[in-house]
Amino acid sequence: MFDFDMLGLAPSLTEVLQKNGFKEPTPIQNQAIPLALEGHDVLGLAQTGTGKTLAFGLPLIDGLLKEPGKPAPKCAKALVLAPTRELVNQIADSLRQLTDGSKLRVATVVGGQSINRQISFLSRGTDILVATPGRLIDLMDRGAVDLSTVRQLVLDEADQMLDLGFIHALRRIAPKLGTPRQTMLFSATMPKQMEELSSAYLSNPRKVQVSPPGKAADKVTQSVHFVDKNDKPAKLREILRKDMDALTLVFSRTKHGAERLMKGLVADGFNAASIHGNKSQGQRDRAIKAFRDGTITVLVATDVAARGIDIPGVAYVVNFDLPEVPDNYVHRIGRTARAGREGEAIAFCAPDEGDLLRQIQKLMKIDIPVASGEAPSDVAGSGQRRRGGGGRRGGGGGGPRGGQGKSGKPSGPKSEAFGKPGTTGPRSRRPRRKAA
């Protein structure tokens, strides 16, 4: 293990790292950064929440700081592609933090925002362009961006780009990039298509893998409730009331389902918001900010947010609906237990979702412990049994920690109204949420 200041980075970049409290690299950073600094193409596989942005961001910025000259109009020196608007904004925020005090410019282009404003910004050129593939194609078609000067390409969460059908966009973008160039591809999983993508866009890449594909973060406690579909809303409210102040991310399979679930929670007194494809970018940004700030404690989302939320304070992830793509389960629960913290992932499994659960367990090579209900014989593995305590929040009670909040303290009595905390229960999550 080495410290960041031993890497030979530009002095200004080292100072920014020290200023922001970065001292030792994470495992993915430890392996990927030296290879990238040497100019190799990098294929990085790591769980979500392990610091992949810094793993590609540091060598990318270091190279740009050592490269003289301003970007030409409409041009970019480096391109970072990500599958969702939220992830693009998150990456850009991190890169701007690292380029603070330098002359490097970071621009974002995503759908749902004024394309004319993006055209205006790009007309001056930018050092780093962070984009979703769809909007970038729109700008290319309008002649608003010239990618021929791009010498560094990053594909972040590349497996989700494949899931969302962006492979055709990548095939249009890649020929427009400058050569030679360095390419870094990062992902949490490694489906078969990823090998094809790697061979098409990377040249003799160095593979970096810090955990097996499909493995959840070590500090995530998982559980599953076997429950009828119509009983899911009541079970969710029961779970939420056990730790009212904790930040909880709830995943729904559909946009309409997410909106309906959110409105029901609000009507029952919970501080809830939703983000999904029917929301404008402004609405999504405001909801995430309120969630980050703690104004909203329950955020209901579709998979559009599975990889776009980097909030260390998320204590719980609830899979209200199991995802149809098993890999998405890994990405969803990766929204908790970030930055070395602990977290809990709770799944609901209705009778018609048994096959989805089997696929998830096959991918992760585990039997998720049962918190309540009975696992059908064709779902449960040899190690899947009813769990006694059920974790900190998700269990059915009766265990050593049943009925306790994230802090491990009794939650205190609640009033009869849904979500209205009583006056005697501690609100231990409040200070931590503000710190996040």
Side-chain angles (χ1 to χ4, degrees):
M1 180 65 74
F2 51 80
D3 294 333
F4 283 118
D5 57 10
M6 299 172 61
L7 288 175
L9 296 166
S12 59
L13 188 52
T14 302
E15 291 176 7
V16 171
L17 289 169
Q18 293 174 344
K19 177 182 176 181
N20 288 280
F22 295 108
K23 296 180 180 179
E24 292 184 347
T26 64
I28 186 66
Q29 296 162 4
N30 185 28
Q31 296 185 44
I33 291 174
L35 294 172
L37 287 174
E38 292 173 1
H40 297 290
D41 283 7
V42 175
L43 171 60
L45 299 175
Q47 305 159 358
T48 56
T50 54
K52 286 180 285 186
T53 302
L54 215 61
F56 65 74
L58 281 173
L60 186 152
I61 292 171
D62 182 79
L64 292 175
L65 288 172
K66 296 174 181 177
E67 182 180 321
K70 296 181 179 180
K74 297 185 179 181
C75 293
K77 295 182 178 181
L79 174 64
V80 180
L81 293 176
T84 67
R85 306 170 189 173
E86 284 75 20
L87 188 55
V88 164
N89 291 333
Q90 174 187 303
I91 292 170
D93 288 343
S94 296
L95 295 179
R96 290 186 180 111
Q97 184 182 38
L98 295 174
T99 57
D100 184 40
S102 74
K103 295 182 179 180
L104 296 181
R105 293 160 55 88
V106 179
T108 61
V109 292
V110 298
Q113 295 182 353
S114 170
I115 194 168
N116 290 329
R117 188 176 302 166
Q118 293 170 358
I119 290 173
S120 176
F121 191 95
L122 288 174
S123 66
R124 294 170 284 170
T126 186
D127 295 281
I128 305 173
L129 178 60
V130 191
T132 52
R135 176 50 63 94
L136 183 59
I137 291 290
D138 291 341
L139 291 164
M140 291 168 57
D141 290 342
R142 295 179 181 225
V145 60
D146 180 357
L147 301 178
S148 63
T149 58
V150 171
R151 292 294 186 270
Q152 290 176 292
L153 171 65
V154 176
L155 303 177
D156 194 22
E157 303 291 4
D159 50 349
Q160 190 183 22
M161 279 198 274
L162 292 177
D163 291 341
L164 296 178
F166 285 132
I167 185 64
H168 301 295
L170 292 177
R171 288 171 179 159
R172 287 193 58 190
I173 293 169
K176 304 296 183 182
L177 303 177
T179 55
R181 65 176 179 270
Q182 180 185 38
T183 301
M184 292 180 277
L185 186 154
F186 286 83
S187 176
T189 60
M190 188 67 178
K192 184 177 180 180
Q193 275 187 298
M194 189 64 65
E195 298 178 5
E196 300 172 3
L197 187 70
S198 173
S199 61
Y201 295 102
L202 278 68
S203 175
N204 190 26
R206 302 298 176 91
K207 185 176 180 179
V208 174
Q209 182 173 325
V210 299
S211 63
K215 185 179 183 297
D218 294 333
K219 295 189 177 182
V220 176
T221 302
Q222 299 181 63
S223 64
V224 59
H225 294 263
F226 290 95
V227 58
D228 288 339
K229 181 177 180 180
N230 293 336
D231 293 334
K232 284 185 177 183
K235 175 61 71 174
L236 176 62
R237 286 156 173 77
E238 173 189 329
I239 288 173
L240 291 176
R241 290 191 210 108
K242 291 182 180 180
D243 203 354
M244 289 291 295
D245 284 335
L247 296 187
T248 303
L249 183 56
V250 180
F251 281 102
S252 172
R253 188 176 300 124
T254 67
K255 295 178 287 188
H256 296 294
E259 191 69 10
R260 182 171 59 251
L261 181 58
M262 179 274 292
K263 290 180 178 179
L265 291 172
V266 170
D268 288 339
F270 292 93
N271 292 324
S274 65
I275 57 172
H276 49 72
N278 284 349
K279 297 282 188 177
S280 69
Q281 187 60 44
Q283 289 174 318
R284 287 155 65 165
D285 290 344
R286 287 191 293 273
I288 290 177
K289 182 179 184 302
F291 189 55
R292 186 186 300 274
D293 295 342
T295 307
I296 294 299
T297 56
V298 181
L299 185 63
V300 185
T302 55
D303 280 319
V304 71
R307 310 192 199 189
I309 298 180
D310 184 11
I311 301 175
V314 175
Y316 303 97
V317 169
V318 178
N319 282 279
F320 188 84
D321 299 313
L322 291 179
E324 294 180 343
V325 179
D327 288 338
N328 284 353
Y329 175 85
V330 180
H331 303 311
R332 287 179 176 188
I333 69 175
R335 299 307 99 197
T336 187
R338 299 181 74 81
R341 302 190 184 191
E342 295 182 351
E344 188 162 344
I346 303 163
F348 294 168
C349 182
D352 62 350
E353 294 178 302
D355 186 58
L356 299 179
L357 181 61
R358 280 193 296 272
Q359 294 178 42
I360 290 168
Q361 294 185 142
K362 180 179 179 181
L363 171 69
M364 302 185 72
K365 297 180 174 60
I366 63 169
D367 293 331
I368 301 173
V370 180
S372 70
E374 294 298 329
S377 59
D378 60 342
V379 172
S382 59
Q384 189 162 30
R385 300 182 178 89
R386 177 69 175 270
R387 150 172 149 169
R392 299 168 202 167
R393 186 198 228 177
R401 304 189 75 168
Q404 295 179 345
K406 193 67 173 174
S407 63
K409 300 177 182 179
S411 304
K414 311 292 182 186
S415 69
E416 293 182 0
F418 285 154
K420 300 297 184 182
T423 58
T424 60
R427 290 183 155 237
S428 59
R429 286 291 303 170
R430 186 69 62 187
R432 288 183 62 189
R433 185 174 60 247
K434 288 183 178 178

